[in-house]
């Protein structure tokens, strides 16, 4: 499945099938959350949270693609990601876009 963050596919005609999305709320375990808290004292990248968000984006993207597959889509255009803190140590990530079928 082709995923693009533009609202067209150069040289390709398509039918719009509709909005598709995938979402996940992800958290780290207590040990990693505690170590992340300690890292804030000295500064720098908190790799545990970076890894958590990478994994969350992958899960959300897969769920979006699964929804597009169920519609019979060939591609998802105008793909976007959003995230928000749900609670301390947990984040929601959403992937969304427009499912299309080639003509």
């Amino acid at each position: 499945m082709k995923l693009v963050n533009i609202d067209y596919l150069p040289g390709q005609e398509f039918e719009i099938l509709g909005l598709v999305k995938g979402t996940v709320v992800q958290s780290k375990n207590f040990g990693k959350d505690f170590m992340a808290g300690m890292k804030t004292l000295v500064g720098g990248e908190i790799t545990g949270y970076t890894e958590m968000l990478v994994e969350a984006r992958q899960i959300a993207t897969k769920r979006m693609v699964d929804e597009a597959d169920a519609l019979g889509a060939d591609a998802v255009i105008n793909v976007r990601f959003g995230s928000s803190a749900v609670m301390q140590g947990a984040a929601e990530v959403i992937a969304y876009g427009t499912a299309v079928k080639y003509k």
Side-chain angles (χ1 to χ4, degrees), residues 16 26 28 30 34 51 59 79 81 88:
I16 295 173
Q26 192 91 343
K28 277 297 187 194
F30 176 75
F34 176 76
E51 292 165 1
I59 293 168
V79 173
F81 294 95
Q88 185 174 346

Side-chain angles (χ1 to χ4, degrees), residues 10-41:
Q12 184 70 56
E13 290 187 39
F14 52 82
E15 168 191 357
I16 295 173
L17 301 178
L19 178 70
V20 289
K21 75 273 178 218
T23 187
V24 64
V25 176
Q26 192 91 343
S27 69
K28 277 297 187 194
N29 66 43
F30 176 75
K32 289 197 179 209
D33 196 40
F34 176 76
M35 293 308 292
M38 299 306 290
K39 181 70 172 182
T40 62
L41 297 175

Side-chain angles (χ1 to χ4, degrees), residues 16-80:
I16 295 173
L17 301 178
L19 178 70
V20 289
K21 75 273 178 218
T23 187
V24 64
V25 176
Q26 192 91 343
S27 69
K28 277 297 187 194
N29 66 43
F30 176 75
K32 289 197 179 209
D33 196 40
F34 176 76
M35 293 308 292
M38 299 306 290
K39 181 70 172 182
T40 62
L41 297 175
V42 295
E45 180 181 7
I46 303 172
T47 56
Y49 283 125
T50 300
E51 292 165 1
M52 177 188 75
L53 288 172
V54 167
E55 182 181 350
R57 277 191 296 275
Q58 290 171 340
I59 293 168
T61 301
K62 182 184 181 326
R63 290 178 179 173
M64 177 189 66
V65 168
D66 290 347
E67 194 171 304
D69 274 335
L71 293 175
D74 296 313
V76 180
I77 61 171
N78 207 24
V79 173
R80 300 288 185 256

